[in-house]
Amino acid sequence: LGYPGSSGAPYIDHLVSDKVVSPPETRALYSETLVLMPNTYQVNDYRAGFEHVREAVLAAAPGTTRASAGLPAAPQVFLANFNQLYKIDPRQLDLWAEVLARVPAARLWLLRSLSTPAP
């Protein structure tokens, strides 16, 4: 399973998803026929899969808390994007910067690749 959104491609007949990622009322937005699994399929769990990735993630963040990550106890607006950074375009970044400038308690949280050193 890969990208959980519609491809828009006429040659892909079905999309395996679930009612959380692809709500039934959004069927018209998909070029594919939705095949909805009874439970969420889009699992993102660093504890499963490649052992070297799991070890690197756990070693990089032992005892991580909101405070240790520099996050306030209760931000008003919390923007998060855990896609790979190359997927963020300049317009999207400008919009986030505008929200951050207008809302002092807002925080932006981006995915840090394992090859990028921690701040």
Side-chain angles (χ1 to χ4, degrees):
L1 300 172
Y3 178 69
S6 179
S7 68
Y11 51 85
I12 297 178
D13 297 322
H14 297 85
L15 176 83
V16 178
S17 189
D18 66 70
K19 66 181 180 179
V20 174
V21 176
S22 305
E25 61 271 17
T26 64
R27 286 182 190 269
L29 302 175
Y30 292 85
S31 59
E32 304 86 358
T33 299
L34 293 179
V35 178
L36 300 180
M37 302 303 291
N39 299 304
T40 301
Y41 84 94
Q42 187 69 30
V43 178
N44 297 299
D45 184 357
Y46 64 84
R47 293 172 293 182
F50 301 104
E51 185 64 21
H52 70 285
V53 172
R54 185 185 80 77
E55 289 174 6
V57 169
L58 294 176
T64 300
T65 63
R66 290 179 65 87
S68 69
L71 298 171
Q76 292 177 343
V77 176
F78 196 61
L79 306 169
N81 185 319
F82 301 119
N83 286 309
Q84 294 194 33
L85 297 179
Y86 75 86
K87 295 181 179 182
I88 300 170
D89 63 36
R91 177 70 180 132
Q92 184 177 20
L93 191 57
D94 286 345
L95 290 171
W96 290 341
E98 186 175 331
V99 170
L100 293 169
R102 291 182 182 196
V103 183
R107 298 293 182 267
L108 175 60
W109 189 2
L110 300 174
L111 177 69
R112 176 177 62 89
S113 73
L114 293 176
S115 63
T116 304

